[in-house]
Amino acid sequence: MTDTSSLTAQAHQLLALHTAPTLLKLVNVWDAISARVVSEVPGVTALATASHSIAAAFGYEDGENIPVELMIEAIGTVVSATELPVTADLEAGYGNPGETTRMAIQVGAVGANLEDQMKPLPEAVAAVEAVLAAGQAEGIDFVLNARTDAFVKAGDRPHADVLADAIERGKAYLAAGAPVVFVPGKVSEEDIVAFVDAWGPQKLTLIGAPGAVPLARMEELGVARVSYGPFSQSVALMALQDLTTEVIGGGALPENFRVLN
């Protein structure tokens, strides 16, 4: 376990990275070697785990199918591989958001994502409050990235209704003490403007999905953070599959090959 003074300092550092006008860019990791490779890139200031990627690495489907103890162990492995602050993807809290947060802090995480899964708003707010209370009980200002699934679970609902739901939920999570709100899914520039108008700058975090608003524009509009979820693992696996295709076809290692482990 990391000592409390170190966790406190890392939590303050992570929060400052979210509140600064510079967009926080997080390429998600899932194990020790991905954590080390990403953290060694100049300009990387923090690490984020991806629950989907960790689950896949252990042979589980995403969606809290991996045992919580194994997920926490993997988060601890990432923490141990870097000196940077780590924010963890805790899905929806594995049935007990407060206790799961406590476990994550015990292995050194100083922030987390928490999905609302579009549960009734009072229930979702209670989960946010439980996470923040767990941080206070452990002596740190835990940096909660409160996630609303309004966009990813939109279905065929009118976009205006989906946007209104996301804004309402975000306001409730911010009022409960969450410093930022995560809205994954296909978010347009107009949506970003609406979120920033409703919540203020440096309160919105997004995922860098294919076709996303360019990073420079996100920063101009006041987005706090962009992360890449399971997409970074997919890029790594694409490279592995491409190498395999090349080798099976009689080729060799790429010309720009370099040893990273």
Side-chain angles (χ1 to χ4, degrees):
M1 174 186 163
T2 308
D3 66 272
T4 302
S5 62
S6 175
L7 288 178
T8 298
Q10 287 199 337
H12 288 163
Q13 182 183 355
L14 184 62
L15 180 59
L17 290 169
H18 285 80
T19 57
T22 301
L23 179 68
L24 174 58
K25 302 164 187 171
L26 298 175
V27 175
N28 298 69
V29 300
W30 57 94
D31 61 7
I33 188 58
S34 62
R36 185 174 66 77
V37 167
V38 170
S39 65
E40 289 176 350
V41 175
V44 171
T45 53
L47 294 184
T49 69
S51 63
H52 187 139
S53 300
I54 290 173
F58 285 102
Y60 292 92
E61 292 291 325
D62 189 30
E64 298 191 339
N65 289 296
I66 186 172
V68 63
E69 295 82 6
L70 186 54
M71 178 62 74
I72 295 296
E73 180 182 347
I75 292 166
T77 298
V78 168
V79 170
S80 297
T82 183
E83 297 297 320
L84 299 174
V86 174
T87 178
D89 183 348
L90 299 182
E91 302 198 66
Y94 299 87
N96 190 337
E99 174 60 16
T100 301
T101 300
R102 186 195 67 80
M103 294 167 65
I105 295 170
Q106 288 289 312
V107 297
V110 294
N113 290 1
L114 184 75
E115 303 168 6
D116 67 4
Q117 299 181 340
M118 296 305 288
K119 294 172 182 174
L121 188 53
E123 183 180 343
V125 169
V128 166
E129 292 171 340
V131 168
L132 296 172
Q136 291 299 311
E138 294 296 317
I140 70 169
D141 291 323
F142 195 71
V143 184
L144 176 61
N145 189 30
R147 168 175 157 170
T148 177
D149 291 316
F151 273 59
V152 295
K153 292 182 176 290
D156 58 359
R157 295 178 64 212
H159 183 76
D161 293 347
V162 174
L163 179 62
D165 269 356
I167 288 174
E168 178 188 17
R169 284 175 173 267
K171 284 182 175 178
Y173 304 154
L174 292 168
V180 285
V181 176
F182 181 30
V183 186
K186 189 175 181 179
V187 177
S188 70
E189 184 169 322
E190 292 74 20
D191 296 328
I192 293 174
V193 170
F195 286 126
V196 174
D197 283 349
W199 303 336
Q202 277 67 59
K203 299 295 185 184
L204 169 65
T205 81
L206 298 172
I207 191 163
V213 173
L215 300 186
R217 186 60 178 148
M218 287 187 190
E219 184 169 289
E220 289 174 358
L221 293 172
V223 176
R225 154 181 160 179
V226 62
S227 57
Y228 287 81
F231 298 134
S232 51
Q233 187 183 57
S234 289
V235 170
L237 294 175
M238 284 168 56
L240 178 61
Q241 192 172 73
D242 289 348
L243 171 63
T244 305
T245 300
E246 182 69 19
V247 169
I248 294 299
L253 291 170
E255 290 185 7
N256 63 348
F257 169 78
R258 60 194 187 279
V259 176
L260 295 177
N261 66 351

